[in-house]
Amino acid sequence: GQQAVDAGDFATASDAYKYVIELGEKSPYYLHAKLGVLNTMYQQVVAGSITDSEQLAYLENEYRSVFAKQGINASTVQHVINYARLETYYLNHADTAKAIINKALQQPLNYAIKADLNLQLADISLFSGDEWEALMIYAKVETDNKQNEKGDEAKLRKAKVAYYTGSFKWALSQLDVLKAATSKLVANDAMEL
């Protein structure tokens, strides 16, 4: 199923996951398959294959159902991020997205997952028009992750906000530092900007 999603063959992925789901909830892979179906549908939304409001509402309800039944934990947290993106960018429910991310941040998670959640929270704040809150969250992620690529990613996003709001000199100074980042993707994005 995951290989089919990666290849963009959403029908095959959905069939594979549904086969495992039909084996029943006692199957050790039931939750993985249930989350796989949600991920497949989410990827279709991102790809533009699903745009119908009824299908979007169905996906939203399925996410809520899974979180209600399984809770928010290490196995469901990546799906929390996808759900937050769905709520923000496709359903225009930024407050709902912020609430679920804040709930996920209360869980005991590793630094990388917490950084991803905070980066998503900042992106949602930025999308909602609150650039100062976004900058504060990016700065916190950068400070908490000085020695890893999550900190570099937060610094890049801060520099992008500065660039697009007209603070070119400050953005340029941040981008010059990021050109030497350990993450090749961050360094390349900094050079391109």
Side-chain angles (χ1 to χ4, degrees), residues 153 156 160 175 183-193:
E153 179 65 30
L156 176 64
K160 283 182 178 181
L175 293 169
S183 169
K184 215 177 202 181
L185 293 173
V186 170
N188 288 345
D189 286 349
M191 284 194 291
E192 183 179 328
L193 186 61

Side-chain angles (χ1 to χ4, degrees), residues 148-175:
N148 62 54
E149 66 184 50
K150 298 296 180 186
D152 290 342
E153 179 65 30
K155 185 178 247 181
L156 176 64
R157 291 183 189 190
K158 267 183 19 186
K160 283 182 178 181
V161 171
Y163 178 84
Y164 290 114
T165 57
S167 300
F168 298 115
K169 287 182 182 180
W170 188 83
L172 183 61
S173 68
Q174 297 299 304
L175 293 169

Side-chain angles (χ1 to χ4, degrees), residues 98-166:
K98 285 181 179 181
I100 192 94
I101 288 177
N102 284 321
K103 187 174 181 182
L105 285 168
Q106 302 300 316
Q107 305 303 314
L109 303 166
N110 72 35
Y111 78 91
I113 293 172
K114 283 198 178 212
D116 285 340
L117 287 166
N118 276 309
L119 288 172
Q120 188 61 47
L121 186 60
D123 290 347
I124 293 167
S125 295
L126 191 59
F127 182 80
S128 300
D130 194 352
E131 70 183 55
W132 298 113
E133 181 180 348
L135 287 171
M136 287 176 50
I137 297 169
Y138 289 142
K140 181 181 181 328
V141 172
E142 179 185 356
T143 302
D144 292 348
N145 296 280
K146 285 186 181 204
Q147 302 301 321
N148 62 54
E149 66 184 50
K150 298 296 180 186
D152 290 342
E153 179 65 30
K155 185 178 247 181
L156 176 64
R157 291 183 189 190
K158 267 183 19 186
K160 283 182 178 181
V161 171
Y163 178 84
Y164 290 114
T165 57

